[in-house]
Amino acid sequence: MTKLVTIIIPSYNHSRYIGKTIKSVLLQTYTEIELIIIDDGSIDNSIAVINSYESECQSKLKKYTFIHRNNKGLCATLNEAIKISSGEYISIIASDDVMKKDKTLAQVNYLNSNIECVGVFSGADVIKENGELLVIRNGSNKKYYFKDIITNNYQLFSPSAMYRSLKIKEAGLYRTDILLEDWYMNLKLTEKTGYLIALPDVLICYRRHSSNTSLLSPRLHQDRKKILDLFANSIYYDHAKLELKYTIAYESVTFNKIKTLKYLLYCIFKNKKFALRRQTLVTIAKLFFPKKYLNKRLTGK
C-alpha cells in the first residue's frame, strides 16, 4: 500500500516566494501527498497567493488544508499542523524554499526500506533571494546517531528533512520556547534508538537571504546551550558541552573576537586535539585577517 506523506508549509511573510514553494509540491513525482499550509499571521500578500493555488491543490493532491490565523510562532505552527496531519511520513518545507520533483519519492523509498531510520535528509542547492545558485551541498550519505547529533559531529541539511510521523508525536512534538527546533527534534528522535541519514542527492533549493533565522547570533548560541541542558543526563553531555564551546568559538569570530579567542583556548586546554582541527586554523586566520574573510562571507566569492 502506498503511504501518504504530509508536507507542511509554515507560511510567514513570504508572498514573493510561497507560490514557487507550493508549485514545487504540486510537481512532485510521488502522488500520495497531503499538503497542510498554516499562515502564521502574515501581513504581506501571502494569503492571496496561497488562495490562488487552492483549486489546483484540491484537484492534484490527496488532501489539502489551508489555515490562516494570528501569529503564534514557528514551533506552535508546526505542532498545529502535525496534530491534524494524516501522513505516515512528514516533510516540512519553509515558505521560501523549493522541493526538487523527486524529493518525496526518493525519501519515501529510503524510509520504506530502512525501518531503523527515523528521518532522512538530502543535499541542497543554496540559492540567493533572486534564485541565483550560491553553492551545491551534497548529502554525506552517512548514518548519524544520538552521539553524533549531540556532539555536533554530523552534516544534515535541516530544510530537506522527512520524518516518521509517529516518531515526532512520540517525541512530544516541538517545544515552543526554543529557536533551534530542528536540532532539538533530531536529538529527541535519536535519543533512545534509530538514526538519521542524508542522501547524497540534491533534493531541495534552500533560499539564503537577510531574514533567514539561521544567520549566526548570540541568541542562537544561548538557545543551543538551553537545548543541550535538556539532555544533561546523557553520558555524552560533558563531551557535547566542550564541542558546543568550540562551535561558538568559530561561529563568533566575525562579531566577538574576544569570545572566540577565549573559547578556542579553553577547548585546546581541555583537549589538545582541538588544535589539530582544520577549523581551528581557519578560525585563527579569520582572527588575524578579518576583512578578507568577512568580505568572502558576505559576497560568497
Side-chain angles (χ1 to χ4, degrees), residues 108-156:
V108 166
N109 285 342
Y110 188 88
L111 288 173
N112 284 346
S113 302
N114 298 272
I115 192 66
E116 292 182 4
C117 180
V118 293
V120 58
F121 298 70
S122 75
D125 285 340
V126 182
I127 59 175
K128 295 182 180 179
E129 291 183 58
N130 62 4
E132 182 183 344
L133 181 65
L134 273 172
V135 65
I136 298 174
R137 294 184 178 176
N138 294 103
S140 62
N141 203 28
K142 293 181 180 179
K143 295 178 181 180
Y144 299 107
Y145 296 86
F146 179 76
K147 179 182 179 181
D148 304 308
I149 307 299
I150 198 171
T151 59
N152 199 34
N153 184 30
Y154 68 98
Q155 296 178 21
L156 295 172

Side-chain angles (χ1 to χ4, degrees), residues 23-282:
K23 195 69 177 179
S24 74
V25 174
L26 293 169
L27 291 174
Q28 291 297 292
T29 54
Y30 190 84
T31 57
E32 295 293 313
I33 290 176
E34 171 189 39
L35 176 60
I36 300 175
I37 304 175
I38 299 183
D39 185 83
D40 191 30
S42 292
I43 57 175
D44 61 2
N45 198 41
S46 292
I47 293 174
V49 174
I50 296 167
N51 282 332
S52 70
Y53 285 90
E54 180 178 3
S55 176
E56 192 173 0
C57 287
Q58 289 179 340
S59 64
K60 291 186 176 181
L61 303 172
K62 294 299 179 181
K63 298 184 70 175
Y64 173 65
T65 302
F66 173 45
I67 299 169
H68 57 89
R69 39 96 172 131
N70 293 332
N71 183 269
K72 295 182 181 180
L74 175 59
C75 289
T77 299
L78 294 177
N79 289 342
E80 183 178 345
I82 292 168
K83 287 176 182 178
I84 63 172
S85 67
S86 304
E88 186 164 341
Y89 303 142
I90 286 179
S91 181
I92 299 167
I93 182 168
S95 52
D96 58 343
D97 295 337
V98 174
M99 290 181 169
K100 304 273 189 174
K101 64 183 179 66
D102 292 325
K103 177 184 186 294
T104 306
L105 178 62
Q107 294 182 314
V108 166
N109 285 342
Y110 188 88
L111 288 173
N112 284 346
S113 302
N114 298 272
I115 192 66
E116 292 182 4
C117 180
V118 293
V120 58
F121 298 70
S122 75
D125 285 340
V126 182
I127 59 175
K128 295 182 180 179
E129 291 183 58
N130 62 4
E132 182 183 344
L133 181 65
L134 273 172
V135 65
I136 298 174
R137 294 184 178 176
N138 294 103
S140 62
N141 203 28
K142 293 181 180 179
K143 295 178 181 180
Y144 299 107
Y145 296 86
F146 179 76
K147 179 182 179 181
D148 304 308
I149 307 299
I150 198 171
T151 59
N152 199 34
N153 184 30
Y154 68 98
Q155 296 178 21
L156 295 172
F157 205 68
S158 293
S160 68
M162 179 183 287
Y163 298 115
R164 295 187 188 275
S165 176
L166 180 60
K167 294 298 183 181
I168 291 182
K169 293 172 182 176
E170 288 178 346
L173 305 181
Y174 290 92
R175 289 179 62 117
T176 57
D177 60 340
I178 59 174
L179 296 174
L180 295 169
E181 78 290 339
D182 48 359
W183 190 44
Y184 170 78
M185 183 54 67
N186 291 340
L187 287 167
K188 290 295 292 183
L189 289 173
T190 57
E191 185 177 13
K192 295 179 180 179
T193 186
Y195 68 88
L196 306 172
I197 191 169
L199 302 180
D201 312 275
V202 173
L203 299 176
I204 194 171
C205 294
Y206 166 71
R207 199 178 306 273
R208 179 178 291 171
H209 51 80
S210 56
S211 63
N212 283 144
T213 56
S214 58
L215 294 179
L216 304 177
S217 72
R219 187 181 176 192
L220 293 183
H221 292 158
Q222 288 298 320
D223 200 58
R224 287 178 180 173
K225 293 178 181 177
K226 179 179 179 179
I227 293 171
L228 183 57
D229 286 343
L230 296 174
F231 301 89
N233 292 329
S234 168
I235 60 174
Y236 307 114
Y237 179 67
D238 289 338
H239 181 190
K241 281 201 304 182
L242 192 59
E243 289 291 348
L244 179 57
K245 274 189 175 292
Y246 183 73
T247 299
I248 293 173
Y250 65 73
E251 287 185 350
S252 300
V253 68
T254 59
F255 55 85
N256 193 331
K257 297 182 182 64
I258 294 176
K259 176 182 279 190
T260 292
L261 188 58
K262 178 182 176 181
Y263 278 27
L264 197 60
L265 291 175
Y266 176 86
C267 292
I268 294 172
F269 176 77
K270 288 291 184 179
N271 188 336
K272 291 182 173 57
K273 290 183 178 180
F274 281 106
L276 303 177
R277 292 188 181 183
R278 179 181 180 277
Q279 186 62 57
T280 300
L281 299 177
V282 171

